[in-house]
């Protein structure tokens, strides 16, 4: 099939590359010429495991192209995915300007039937806005009767595992009120459904809602565990044992129960805010979800609280090593990363930082800009020298079994504050560390 992906970010690029892998002919469009230049020169603008191989293979096979040429992109696809950003507006609601602009650019150029697919995470009712924007543009061209369908197909991929998630989806949600479009979506996704039919077809509004409900549920689990972790510390329980104890109940399950330094990324924070705002606007305040967001804001400061508890509120002259800057492992994405809050809070109190991340150093440098109080170092051990404590913020694999003797020798005092519960508190004690994890009341 002929497919166009409008917006070549995490979602658009992964969607385009993985659909090309299944034999479709895909054109990826972006308004950012720099991104398209990098892709056309064989690079990948983001760090996403496995993506470069899929992109390279399909470009070489002539099934995947990148362009800034809107005419070409709109003409190419019969199925057009809109995968542009939906960042938070000032009031927390999803800013739909890019989605509507993409819809207009389709309406301004299409000359035959198209299935327009909302892949971006968008509030309930957005498909109607997309349909209206396309219609308005068609009418301006005197083509008001031209046929097209608008479908919702939210994306559930996780960064760092995006290719795998796209290739082996738990479910494919298709919101469609129109039979022709449903048939085309079924055909497009048939290769992903070979062992088991994973496609759930529903009405458009329920599909749009499903995406927010999924992210809200996952964020709720995390904030819930983070709050329990705070309590566990006070009452002398270990949240890691509690996690296993409750996760073994199949009604609860093990996934997304890890207490930590707070959730970040380009989805949970913005989607929770957007759902809270949309609900409030309709007169149904979401009390649970409002608390989820508040708990997360507090959680992002939990490591800072531990620093202040140990070293006092005035951190002038102190230096802290930070391991892990990206909002999660296997990505260079810094959007809403807890590390940024921690860096901000510690430096505001007078501290300096030496920070390391396996892949997000360039992105961190771009986001932070030039700073005298933050040194971005090229190796994990280089961050430690002369630091008052090590803070672990992202659970990259290379931090899991470090050389503890070397850490001890390099730090001014052997203080490790572990925001992802990577280390065994009993072992750390034996090794002579002052160790604090998250919610490990009994042992640390
Ligand atoms: P992104 O910021 O990485 O990429 C969006 C791209 O769209 C940018 O490259 C931008 O230049 C481009 N763009 C903007 N307007 C355009 C236009 N009119 N025409 C062509 N290109 C245009 O965003 P993302 O992380 O890929 O997220 C996209 C959407 O998918 C959001 O709604 C997000 O919530 C949702 N989503 C993201 C993830 C994720 O893990 N990142 C997962 C599921 C859903
Ligand atoms: C999330 C959703 O998982 C995905 O389905 C959706 O499409 C986009 O948003 P992503 O943001 O890429 O994916 O990463 P995810 O693995 O969900 O982690 C989000 C944040 O939650 C990270 O900061 C992570 O550290 C945190 N997290 C996750 C926890 O603190 N505890 C957990 O148990 C799981």
């Amino acid at each position: 099939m002929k497919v166009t992906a409008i917006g070549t970010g995490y979602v658009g690029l992964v969607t385009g590359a993985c659909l090309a892998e299944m034999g479709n002919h895909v054109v990826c469009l972006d308004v950012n010429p720099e991104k398209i230049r990098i892709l056309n020169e064989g690079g990948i603008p983001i760090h996403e495991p496995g993506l470069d191989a899929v992109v390279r293979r399909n470009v070489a096979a002539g099934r995947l192209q990148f362009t800034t040429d809107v005419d070409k992109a709109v003409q190419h696809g019969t199925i057009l995915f809109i995968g542009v950003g939906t960042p938070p507006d000032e009031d927390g609601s999803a800013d739909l300007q890019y989605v509507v602009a993409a819809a207009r650019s389709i309406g301004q150029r299409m000359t035959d039937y198209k299935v327009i697919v909302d892949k971006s995470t968008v509030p309930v009712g957005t498909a109607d806005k997309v349909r209206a924007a396309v219609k308005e543009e068609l009418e301006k061209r005197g083509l008001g009767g031209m046929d097209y369908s608008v479908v919702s197909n939210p994306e559930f991929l996780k960064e760092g595992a995006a290719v795998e998630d796209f290739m082996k989806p738990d479910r494919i949600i298709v919101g469609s009120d129109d039979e022709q479009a449903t048939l085309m979506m079924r055909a497009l996704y048939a290769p992903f459904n070979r062992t088991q039919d994973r496609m759930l077809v529903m009405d458009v509004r329920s599909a749009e809602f499903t995406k927010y409900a999924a992210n809200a549920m996952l964020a709720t689990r995390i904030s819930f565990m983070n709050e329990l972790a705070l309590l566990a510390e006070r009452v002398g329980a270990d949240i890691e044992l509690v996690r296993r104890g409750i996760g073994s109940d199949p009604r609860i399950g093990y996934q997304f129960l890890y207490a930590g330094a707070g959730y970040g990324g380009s989805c949970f924070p913005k989607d929770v805010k957007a759902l809270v705002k949309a609900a409030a606007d309709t007169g149904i305040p979401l009390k649970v979800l409002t608390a989820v967001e508040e708990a997360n804001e507090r959680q992002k400061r939990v490591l800072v609280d531990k620093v202040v508890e140990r070293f006092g509120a005035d951190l002038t002259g102190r230096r802290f090593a930070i391991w892990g800057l990206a909002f999660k492992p296997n990505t260079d994405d810094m959007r809403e990363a807890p590390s940024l809050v921690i860096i901000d809070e510690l430096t505001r109190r007078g501290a300096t930082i030496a920070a390391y991340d396996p892949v997000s150093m360039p992105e961190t440098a771009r986001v932070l800009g030039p700073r005298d109080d933050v040194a971005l170092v090229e190796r994990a051990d280089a961050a430690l020298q002369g630091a008052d404590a090590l803070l672990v913020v992202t659970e990259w694999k290379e931090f899991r079994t470090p050389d503890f003797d070397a850490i001890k020798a390099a730090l001014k005092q052997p203080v490790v504050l572990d925001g992802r519960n990577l280390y065994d508190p009993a072992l750390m004690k034996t090794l002579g560390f002052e160790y604090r994890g998250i919610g490990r009341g009994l042992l640390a």
Side-chain angles (χ1 to χ4, degrees), residues 319-325 353-362 375-387 390-391 396 398-399 402-403 406-407 410-411:
R319 184 174 182 82
F320 296 98
I322 293 186
W323 280 3
L325 297 163
I353 306 287
Y356 167 77
D357 186 280
V359 304
S360 78
M361 305 300 282
L376 299 177
V377 298
E378 293 302 319
R379 289 163 49 113
D381 52 5
L384 302 168
Q385 206 56 49
L390 165 64
L391 278 63
W396 285 93
E398 73 169 76
F399 302 150
D403 181 342
I407 295 178
L411 291 176

Side-chain angles (χ1 to χ4, degrees), residues 131-146:
R131 196 174 290 116
V134 174
K135 190 167 168 43
E136 212 180 288
E137 295 302 329
L138 284 173
E139 278 169 356
K140 281 187 203 163
R141 297 165 59 209
L143 298 171
M146 188 170 281

Side-chain angles (χ1 to χ4, degrees), residues 5-14 28-33 35 46 48 67 70 82-87 94-95 97-103 105 119-122 154-160 162 211-212 215 265-267 270-271 327 333 335:
I6 303 179
T8 308
Y10 284 86
V11 165
L13 181 56
V14 170
C28 289
L29 168 74
D30 207 287
V31 288
N32 180 340
K35 242 177 216 185
I46 52 174
E48 191 55 55
T67 186
V70 187
I82 300 180
V84 300
T86 47
D95 180 352
Q97 63 167 307
Y98 306 105
V99 171
V100 172
S105 68
K119 191 79 166 145
S120 301
T121 302
V122 290
E155 180 51 55
F156 297 95
L157 64 78
K158 300 183 292 297
E159 289 183 19
K211 174 64 197 179
Y212 280 98
N215 276 358
S266 69
C267 291
K270 110 176 145 51
D271 295 346
F327 82 97
D333 199 339
R335 289 179 281 186

